[in-house]
Amino acid sequence: MRAVVIGGSGQIGGWLLRVLTERGHEAVGTYSTVPFDGLVPLDASHLAESANWLRAQAADVVFYPAGFTWVDGCERDPARARSANVEQPLNLARAAAETGARFISFSTDYVFDGKAGPYAETDAPNPLSVYGRAKHEAERALGDAALTLRTTWVYGPERQGKNFAYQLARALREKGELACPSDQFSTPSYGPDVARAAVLLAERKVKGIVHVAGPEFLGRVEFARALAEAFGLDPGGIVGRRTAELGQGAPRPLRGGLRTPRLDALGPEFRMRPLADCLADFRVQLAEPGDWVRPLFAK
Ligand SMILES: NC(=O)c1ccc[n+]([C@@H]2O[C@H](COP(=O)([O-])OP(=O)(O)OC[C@H]3O[C@@H](n4cnc5c(N)ncnc54)[C@H](OP(=O)(O)O)[C@@H]3O)[C@@H](O)[C@H]2O)c1
């Protein structure tokens, strides 16, 4: 396959590029504001220019792990949230379709209201936040012509060091404590496994909505403790607080998370590894950071 990854500088995008290359595919990745070697600059908000660029790539498949991913930022700037998470991917999905390329976008369990998670693909969305509503709108607009992969609480080694595991490690090292919501539950998903599943799904030309998430349903505090222990940090500084006390900008689905019946039905190759195996892999990757992995405490 010839693949384009819009957002190759991001967490999932970086892993997509790595997995695609390892599996013998040709892959071109883009960045918007954070350049890495080998990536091409592309700002999806420049609609005509980015569509022209994409058409010229003559790709078989376009992955779109991009957009405005800061949930509280979306709540403060709904216009930007809709533009980045609906209009821009739709613009590039249309450009992809014009050259016969398949389009793969990434959505979230925040399309659900969190009353009864973890959720299957057949459960009815009811987003609580601006971010969740934009993602749900994009899912519906892309429809069954595209593959929309929903995931949640993505963690693991990455090049920008933004995900929760890095935030936790830095907070524990620098401040000795981190307040975590005690009433938010989900299914933490290991970035390298999410990317691997996405590439396998692309190879099989799967379309529609597919949940890709880790197998355990657990609370944020329990997840934070598991990460701290994996990194050899004192989990004693992890403090549980109710979401209502934390003043997060956007409402969160409290019992969120994703079940993965469609993925599981595709066979053992698609299995998402358990948390303990992923944490062991995370430690191995951190021991040899290299180009793809930022050390936990790098500034
Ligand atoms: N992380 C999670 O826990 C999680 C959970 C559920 C769903 N998702 C979804 O999965 C996808 C990937 O998430 P992630 O955590 O990998 O995100 P991320 O690390 O924040 O990466 C986002 C990527 O989008 C790029 N980007 C931002 N604005 C852009 C623009 N105007 N034009 C082109 N590219 C732009 C960024 O480029 P620069 O960094 O170079 O600016 C970056 O490469 C997103 O759609 C997100 O909503 C993530």
Side-chain angles (χ1 to χ4, degrees):
M1 290 189 309
R2 177 167 164 76
V4 166
V5 178
I6 308 289
S9 52
Q11 177 180 201
I12 295 175
W15 277 101
L16 283 170
L17 287 169
R18 191 165 165 181
V19 173
L20 283 162
T21 308
E22 282 168 4
R23 292 182 66 81
H25 301 295
E26 202 185 332
V28 178
T30 74
Y31 72 93
S32 173
T33 59
V34 185
F36 289 98
D37 279 353
L39 299 185
V40 177
L42 179 133
D43 184 343
S45 69
H46 300 153
L47 299 180
E49 197 181 309
S50 56
N52 285 338
W53 178 84
L54 188 59
R55 277 190 288 263
Q57 298 308 304
D60 300 307
V61 57
V62 177
F63 293 88
Y64 196 92
F68 187 21
T69 59
W70 179 29
V71 176
D72 297 326
C74 286
E75 206 69 18
R76 284 208 281 271
D77 192 346
R80 180 177 166 199
R82 191 170 181 282
S83 165
N85 294 330
V86 184
E87 288 163 10
Q88 292 166 26
L90 286 179
N91 173 55
L92 291 181
R94 280 191 290 269
E98 282 164 29
T99 59
R102 284 173 287 127
F103 195 80
I104 301 181
S105 78
F106 290 78
S107 189
T108 166
D109 64 333
Y110 282 29
V111 299
F112 297 109
D113 58 19
K115 291 187 180 150
Y119 294 95
E121 290 89 349
T122 45
D123 289 319
N126 181 30
L128 304 176
S129 62
V130 169
Y131 171 77
R133 281 193 291 276
K135 288 293 200 179
H136 185 221
E137 185 179 347
E139 287 182 357
R140 282 179 300 165
L142 288 166
D144 284 341
L147 167 64
T148 294
L149 194 152
R150 285 188 190 134
T151 189
T152 176
W153 286 16
V154 182
Y155 70 98
E158 59 149 317
R159 294 196 286 190
Q160 290 197 34
K162 288 194 305 188
N163 73 60
F164 178 66
Y166 284 83
Q167 292 171 28
L168 169 94
R170 284 194 292 261
L172 290 182
R173 163 79 67 96
E174 287 161 20
K175 299 181 207 138
E177 71 164 40
L178 180 70
C180 291
S182 54
D183 50 359
Q184 290 181 26
F185 294 79
S186 192
T187 45
S189 308
Y190 190 51
D193 285 12
V194 172
R196 185 169 180 282
V199 172
L200 293 176
L201 289 164
E203 289 171 353
R204 294 242 192 137
K205 303 188 176 165
V206 174
K207 291 188 174 171
I209 292 175
V210 179
H211 289 181
V212 174
E216 294 92 354
F217 180 67
L218 74 174
R220 182 66 85 168
V221 170
E222 198 186 336
F223 178 43
R225 289 200 176 119
L227 285 164
E229 276 159 18
F231 301 147
L233 296 165
D234 180 7
I238 296 164
V239 189
R241 296 255 189 278
R242 293 183 61 76
T243 296
E245 295 170 51
L246 284 171
Q248 292 176 314
R252 301 301 203 268
L254 297 185
R255 288 186 71 83
L258 299 168
R259 293 193 291 116
T260 58
R262 274 198 83 186
L263 196 71
D264 299 342
L266 288 166
E269 212 189 345
F270 287 83
R271 195 179 68 99
M272 300 289 285
R273 284 176 290 178
L275 180 66
D277 293 4
C278 296
L279 291 176
D281 187 70
F282 198 168
R283 277 197 306 268
V284 170
Q285 306 260 1
L286 286 170
E288 291 180 24
D291 285 349
W292 293 98
V293 175
R294 192 178 176 88
L296 268 190
F297 302 110
K299 288 285 174 197

